Amino acid sequence: MHTHRLFRWAGGFVLAGLVAASDAQAQTRLSLTEALELGLKNRHDVQADAVEAALTANALRKNRQTWLPTLTASGNVRYNTQLQTTVLPAGAFPGVTESQVLAFGTRNSTLLTLDLTQPLLRPEAAIDRAIVRNTGALDAEKVRQRRTDVQVKIAEAYLNVLLKDLQRTLARADAARQRAYFEVADGQ
């Protein structure tokens, strides 16, 4: 009989010690929605998924830009400081009576080119666009799934904390009842 009482008393004492130790820890009270928001904000994998979805959207924009025309321009300017000279002998042309020195060519030459290219037929572009859209849809679904998984884990942890709090309250009540039993048993 004494062993049973001693075990109850020791169990109550240990349980009371655990309850007192857990009360000593600092606590921050959050609602479930605040805990979900805080948890999602601090999860790096959820943030990485959002970046991956943005990259997929960027790839779709890039695929659309392949249909835009391409305009290229180039220019070339040349200046001759010394023109080639030729001697025209007398009588080479009618009315030319003496030999003359002539310079052939131009002093400067400017060349400007514009090239406009418009893709008319790209059969692979539609397939590429469909692949990018499907990849984007899969990435968006993966983001939603990961967010849901994280929310479920956070909710489970939040509810576990509430359960532990309730268990601690019940343990306190049990410890108080055990103390009362001990005092009654000790008085007899």
Side-chain angles (χ1 to χ4, degrees):
M1 193 85 158
H2 284 47
T3 322
H4 190 264
R5 266 194 252 158
L6 182 63
F7 177 70
R8 278 190 173 179
W9 179 79
F13 182 72
V14 169
L15 192 57
L18 288 174
V19 169
S22 67
D23 281 342
Q25 297 176 355
Q27 294 180 355
T28 303
R29 299 278 180 190
L30 294 174
S31 69
L32 180 58
T33 56
E34 291 171 338
L36 288 172
E37 289 173 11
L38 184 64
L40 287 175
K41 186 176 81 172
N42 291 329
R43 288 293 298 245
H44 297 295
D45 53 348
V46 173
Q47 294 171 358
D49 286 342
V51 169
E52 193 172 319
L55 288 175
T56 302
N58 189 25
L60 186 60
R61 233 178 288 117
K62 200 183 245 186
N63 186 291
R64 284 188 194 130
Q65 288 177 350
T66 60
W67 286 100
L68 293 176
T70 305
L71 179 66
T72 56
S74 63
N76 187 359
V77 177
R78 292 184 185 177
Y79 182 76
N80 280 335
T81 57
Q82 202 172 29
L83 294 176
Q84 296 292 329
T85 57
T86 303
V87 176
L88 224 92
F93 293 105
V96 176
T97 57
E98 13 180 283
S99 59
Q100 296 180 357
V101 177
L102 292 175
F104 287 104
T106 59
R107 287 266 179 220
N108 61 5
S109 170
T110 304
L111 178 66
L112 176 64
T113 58
L114 291 174
D115 185 24
L116 178 68
T117 306
Q118 172 68 48
L120 296 176
L121 181 62
R122 285 191 60 231
E124 74 277 359
I127 295 169
D128 290 345
R129 199 174 19 227
I131 289 172
V132 170
R133 275 195 205 120
N134 287 343
T135 303
L138 288 173
D139 286 346
E141 186 59 34
K142 186 170 82 171
V143 167
R144 280 192 293 275
Q145 179 65 38
R146 177 133 1 177
R147 285 179 62 90
T148 302
D149 290 346
V150 168
Q151 286 175 334
V152 165
K153 287 178 184 177
I154 292 171
E156 284 177 355
Y158 185 84
L159 294 175
N160 280 336
V161 167
L162 291 179
L163 177 66
K164 295 297 181 187
D165 189 39
L166 182 61
Q167 287 174 340
R168 187 180 72 210
T169 304
L170 291 175
R172 283 184 188 154
D174 192 35
R177 190 177 70 240
Q178 292 295 331
R179 270 188 248 119
Y181 289 159
F182 177 72
E183 289 172 2
V184 168
D186 195 31
Q188 289 179 352

